[in-house]
Amino acid sequence: MMQTKILPSSLIVIPCLNEAAHIGALVHELRPAAERLGARIVVADGGSTDGTRAIVEEIAGKDPLIILLHNEKRLQSAAINLAVASCGEGAEYVIRIDAHGGYPPDYCDRLVEEARITGADSVVVSMLTSGSGMVQKAVAAAQNSKLGTGGSKHRHLSVGEWVDHGHHALMRISAFKAVGGYDETFSHNEDAELDYRLRKAGYRIWMSGKTKMIYYPRSSLADLYFQYLGYGRGRAKNILKHRMIPKVRQMVPLLVFPVVLLAAFSFVHWLAITPLLVWASVCLGYGVWTAISQRNPDNALAGISAMVMHFGWSVGFWLQLLGPRSQRRVA
């Protein structure tokens, strides 16, 4: 007689805020995997006002595997910490799901499978960006490129490898608790900050070669700018907290804000605007080249998207680095 494999129980957590358009379908899609893994699905809502809570409450009322928590701190980092503290008893793994992402049907299964095979304490995944409108497609082209992300490993497909950081997907709860979980003072870059502490404590991070997730980017350049402003602040805060040296791919965009400021002095000497023109030419040229090579006119805006990302990240980094002491102080 064939024996059924008993997989480690897991906790699937969805931090969310105002995701009424997606949360019902997402929970429904995750339900079969939760049943296969003996997992519960926890939706940690940060105070939605668009009907998200009502949707989850209705589902949870009919399904004991679904749990709704109120995340009064609103941040994703706090949502995961809350879910593990409240519902993690007896579970071996916590699986983090972003409410505004796309996942293959066997996503959770593959994560647990790789954790068991490799013995990894954390399994991260590649995050590919996809869009539907003109702006989203342009942002996706920028975020899937080295120009937009500096060659970050988790922004490209992996064959499976040990890494320092990646898009958070699964963590062994014992390792998560041992390092203190997410730092809730971080609104952005909390994943990289936690990965630093995991590695320092001797835990290992594996990037999956068997599954990935799809990220749906911001649909306006203004939202994209503020998103990357937060990313820049988070990266600077991480560097200040751990006294880290930025990587080369992070140091290059740091120059963007100073370059823009320097251009303001072009009335003194025309050479002051030269670095800005070089940066803009590279980005805009990349967009045109991408549009032609991929025969997709929507990608012509990829260069502009990359400029918005670079500028927002650089401004955020410098604001955090040079801000008041109370703003720079980290826990």
Side-chain angles (χ1 to χ4, degrees), residues 111-129:
L111 294 175
V112 172
E113 177 184 281
E114 289 202 83
R116 298 181 77 199
I117 291 173
T118 64
D121 302 292
S122 173
V123 178
V124 297
V125 295
S126 299
M127 180 173 69
L128 302 184
T129 309

Side-chain angles (χ1 to χ4, degrees), residues 60-105:
K62 302 174 183 176
D63 191 338
L65 288 185
I66 315 301
I67 300 170
L68 174 64
L69 293 179
H70 173 55
N71 172 26
E72 62 180 19
K73 295 181 181 178
R74 300 173 69 88
L75 297 177
Q76 290 187 335
S77 54
I80 306 296
N81 288 350
L82 175 66
V84 170
S86 303
C87 310
E89 189 67 34
E92 185 169 356
Y93 301 117
V94 57
I95 297 174
R96 174 174 173 170
I97 298 290
D98 294 325
H100 208 51
Y103 302 88

Side-chain angles (χ1 to χ4, degrees), residues 5-324:
K5 287 185 178 180
I6 299 177
L7 297 174
S9 60
S10 304
L11 186 68
I12 301 172
V13 184
I14 311 172
C16 72
L17 177 65
N18 293 328
E19 292 289 351
H22 309 97
I23 195 65
L26 181 59
V27 170
H28 177 73
E29 290 168 7
L30 292 169
R31 182 61 176 75
E35 192 166 34
R36 290 192 297 270
L37 296 173
R40 286 171 290 179
I41 300 174
V42 176
V43 179
D45 181 78
S48 296
T49 57
D50 67 343
T52 297
R53 289 183 59 85
I55 293 171
V56 179
E57 284 173 349
E58 182 178 357
I59 298 173
K62 302 174 183 176
D63 191 338
L65 288 185
I66 315 301
I67 300 170
L68 174 64
L69 293 179
H70 173 55
N71 172 26
E72 62 180 19
K73 295 181 181 178
R74 300 173 69 88
L75 297 177
Q76 290 187 335
S77 54
I80 306 296
N81 288 350
L82 175 66
V84 170
S86 303
C87 310
E89 189 67 34
E92 185 169 356
Y93 301 117
V94 57
I95 297 174
R96 174 174 173 170
I97 298 290
D98 294 325
H100 208 51
Y103 302 88
D106 63 350
Y107 181 75
C108 296
D109 306 78
R110 297 289 78 79
L111 294 175
V112 172
E113 177 184 281
E114 289 202 83
R116 298 181 77 199
I117 291 173
T118 64
D121 302 292
S122 173
V123 178
V124 297
V125 295
S126 299
M127 180 173 69
L128 302 184
T129 309
S130 178
S132 55
M134 183 173 68
V135 174
Q136 271 197 333
K137 288 179 180 178
V139 174
Q143 292 184 340
N144 288 331
S145 72
K146 287 188 177 181
L147 178 69
T149 62
S152 179
K153 283 189 175 182
H154 70 275
R155 288 288 187 169
H156 307 280
L157 286 175
S158 171
V159 295
E161 58 187 313
W162 296 105
V163 296
D164 291 335
H165 171 57
H167 183 74
H168 279 192
L170 173 148
M171 258 180 280
R172 195 180 303 276
I173 288 180
S174 58
F176 180 82
K177 289 182 175 180
V179 298
Y182 286 109
D183 184 338
E184 296 179 8
T185 68
F186 280 69
S187 61
H188 295 78
N189 209 233
E190 77 284 350
D191 51 355
E193 194 280 327
L194 178 55
D195 282 346
Y196 178 87
R197 285 185 282 122
L198 282 171
R199 298 193 319 273
K200 190 174 181 181
Y203 295 108
R204 299 186 301 163
I205 302 171
W206 175 260
M207 179 169 284
S208 172
K210 295 185 177 180
T211 193
K212 64 182 184 298
M213 64 91 65
I214 302 298
Y215 172 73
Y216 303 111
R218 300 297 192 269
S219 56
S220 78
L221 293 180
D223 288 344
L224 182 67
Y225 167 77
F226 285 110
Q227 179 185 26
Y228 275 78
L229 184 79
Y231 286 163
R233 280 187 175 277
R235 174 55 63 180
K237 190 171 184 178
N238 200 351
I239 287 171
L240 288 169
K241 177 177 179 177
H242 296 295
R243 303 295 188 266
M244 300 162 60
I245 298 175
K247 297 178 180 178
V248 173
R249 67 178 178 82
Q250 296 164 348
M251 294 179 74
V252 172
L254 285 181
L255 299 174
V256 171
F257 186 38
V259 159
V260 172
L261 291 179
L262 178 64
F265 292 92
S266 58
F267 69 92
V268 177
H269 197 288
W270 64 270
L271 283 175
I273 201 172
T274 303
L276 175 63
L277 293 177
V278 171
W279 167 60
S281 297
V282 170
C283 291
L284 296 176
Y286 168 82
V288 173
W289 174 80
T290 301
I292 293 173
S293 63
Q294 298 183 6
R295 298 181 181 180
N296 186 347
D298 289 334
N299 287 351
L301 294 176
I304 296 176
S305 299
M307 291 178 70
V308 172
M309 292 158 57
H310 294 167
F311 183 65
W313 196 94
S314 186
V315 171
F317 189 99
W318 286 110
L319 286 177
Q320 185 68 33
L321 189 67
L322 303 177

